[in-house]
């Protein structure tokens, strides 16, 4: 089964997007400083079960910069996800992780009827936007050129491995890290988009959307990591409580990027949920 690669037009610029598989449409929203390749470990197990839509949103790991004056706020990225979703065959399952989880929350709160089901993996939520561990990086925004120095350092193997160690417990091969980072280490347009997004991350946004999540009436699966330096474990139950139909599954061997740490386990949880069920075990 082949992978179709296209570019879609959204407000502020084009977005690279891959489509693979057949069946129910599942739209995956990745996190900060990576791209849609973070989901690649799931493809083999899901491509025969669903139609996977894997955009490279302009969150830092993209290859095609947005227009220089493009809006890079969470709300603007949610609007881009909605633009993509409107062109897809329904019903649509939306999956979000990390910063992409915050974007997914905004998307379902804005247009709840557009999505049938929602999956939230460890994500920005409530007062944790950006995660506390990333606050020092935001402080660099006041120093001209500082973020560029940090992102260019990602050309070095040690810096790549240090970044991955924050979000994944497993050892990620260097070539896979390079694929996920996209053009972040060397493209100034991509770095500009990343800086603008980082500057706009505010807990006021995630606090506000949490008050609107009740508008989404479809089934919700919260997949969370028990020991994660970025996303508090207590947010799993708290997020579940924002929805009328929710269940929680715990990734015991993962950090934020469960798709890298426990791809087989996550594939099974997603397949169960996509097919109309929920986690039959591992729930809180």
């Amino acid at each position: 089964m082949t992978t179709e690669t296209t570019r879609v037009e959204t407000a502020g610029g084009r977005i690279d997007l891959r489509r693979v598989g057949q069946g129910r449409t599942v739209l995956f929203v990745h996190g900060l400083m990576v791209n849609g390749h973070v989901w690649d470990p799931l493809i083999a197990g899901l491509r025969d079960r669903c139609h996977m839509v894997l955009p490279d949103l302009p969150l830092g790991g993209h290859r095609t910069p947005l227009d220089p004056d493009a809006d890079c706020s969470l709300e603007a990225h949610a609007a881009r996800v909605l633009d993509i979703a409107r062109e897809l065959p329904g019903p649509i399952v939306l999956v979000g992780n990390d910063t992409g989880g915050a974007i997914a929350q905004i998307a379902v709160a804005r247009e709840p009827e557009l999505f049938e089901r929602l999956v939230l993996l460890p994500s920005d939520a409530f007062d944790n936007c950006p995660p506390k561990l990333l606050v020092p990086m935001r402080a660099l925004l006041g120093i001209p050129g500082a973020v560029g120095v940090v992102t260019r350092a990602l050309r070095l193997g040690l810096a790549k491995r240090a970044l991955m160690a924050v979000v994944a417990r497993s050892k990620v091969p260097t070539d896979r890290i390079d694929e996920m980072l996209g053009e972040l280490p060397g493209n100034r347009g991509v770095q500009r988009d990343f800086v603008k997004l980082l500057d706009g991350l505010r807990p006021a946004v995630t606090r506000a959307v949490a008050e609107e999540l009740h508008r989404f009436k479809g089934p919700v699966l919260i997949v969370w990591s028990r020991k994660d330096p970025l996303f508090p474990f207590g947010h799993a139950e708290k997020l579940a409580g924002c929805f009328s139909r929710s269940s929680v599954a715990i990734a015991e061997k993962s950090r934020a990027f469960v798709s890298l740490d426990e791809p087989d386990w996550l594939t099974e949880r997603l397949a169960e949920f996509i097919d109309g069920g929920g986690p039959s075990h591992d729930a809180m």
Side-chain angles (χ1 to χ4, degrees):
M1 189 176 298
T2 59
T3 300
E4 176 189 355
T5 302
T6 60
R7 282 184 175 176
V8 295
E9 294 290 339
T10 68
R14 294 177 296 178
I15 292 175
D16 298 316
L17 180 147
R18 292 178 296 149
R19 300 172 70 154
V20 60
Q22 56 189 3
R24 182 169 298 187
T25 301
V26 184
L27 175 56
F28 290 84
V29 187
H30 61 80
L32 193 71
M33 299 178 72
V34 294
N35 55 40
H37 286 288
V38 75
W39 305 110
D40 283 3
L42 307 181
I43 290 177
L46 289 177
R47 65 192 306 161
D48 293 328
R49 306 186 189 192
C50 62
H51 173 208
M52 303 177 69
V53 181
L54 308 164
D56 292 343
L57 292 172
L59 308 183
H62 52 302
R63 291 178 169 81
T64 306
L66 293 176
D67 300 336
D69 61 348
D71 186 346
C72 294
S73 65
L74 288 175
E75 296 93 336
H77 291 317
R80 294 181 178 102
V81 168
L82 292 170
D83 286 343
I84 294 170
R86 292 188 195 101
E87 301 302 317
L88 297 175
I92 300 173
V93 179
L94 183 63
V95 181
N97 187 195
D98 189 74
T99 309
I103 292 169
Q105 292 170 54
I106 296 170
V108 298
R110 282 188 178 179
E111 296 193 28
E113 69 286 348
L114 191 55
F115 304 100
E116 182 192 41
R117 291 171 174 258
L118 171 68
V119 180
L120 291 177
L121 289 99
S123 302
D124 295 52
F126 309 112
D127 288 325
N128 193 46
C129 180
K132 305 298 187 292
L133 200 61
L134 298 184
V135 170
M137 182 175 285
R138 288 195 71 252
L140 295 176
L141 296 176
I143 306 173
V147 174
V149 171
V150 171
T151 54
R152 287 192 294 273
L154 293 173
R155 297 170 180 172
L156 305 175
L158 180 62
K160 295 174 188 176
R161 290 191 293 273
L163 174 63
M164 283 295 110
V166 175
V167 294
R169 294 176 64 179
S170 59
K171 185 176 181 180
V172 183
T174 301
D175 58 346
R176 176 162 287 174
I177 298 174
D178 289 338
E179 200 165 38
M180 291 189 296
L181 289 176
E183 295 294 326
L184 180 60
N187 187 307
R188 291 189 177 184
V190 170
Q191 293 168 4
R192 177 199 64 225
D193 295 343
F194 170 63
V195 168
K196 289 167 67 176
L197 168 63
L198 197 60
D199 190 41
L201 294 179
R202 295 286 187 276
V205 177
T206 42
R207 283 198 301 262
V209 75
E211 299 296 325
E212 300 297 324
L213 293 177
H214 65 90
R215 301 183 64 234
F216 182 72
K217 303 302 183 183
V220 179
L221 174 63
I222 309 292
V223 179
W224 220 259
S225 304
R226 192 177 296 277
K227 296 181 180 179
D228 183 352
L230 293 176
F231 303 108
F233 181 61
H235 280 186
E237 283 283 10
K238 191 174 180 181
L239 270 172
C242 293
F243 301 97
S244 58
R245 302 170 64 190
S246 63
S247 56
V248 179
I250 304 304
E252 297 284 0
K253 302 175 182 178
S254 296
R255 290 187 179 150
F257 288 1
V258 184
S259 61
L260 302 182
D261 282 331
E262 297 182 77
D264 294 339
W265 178 87
L266 180 59
T267 294
E268 289 305 311
R269 300 290 81 72
L270 291 177
E272 291 171 358
F273 185 67
I274 291 165
D275 289 341
S280 57
H281 55 287
D282 300 314
M284 294 176 66

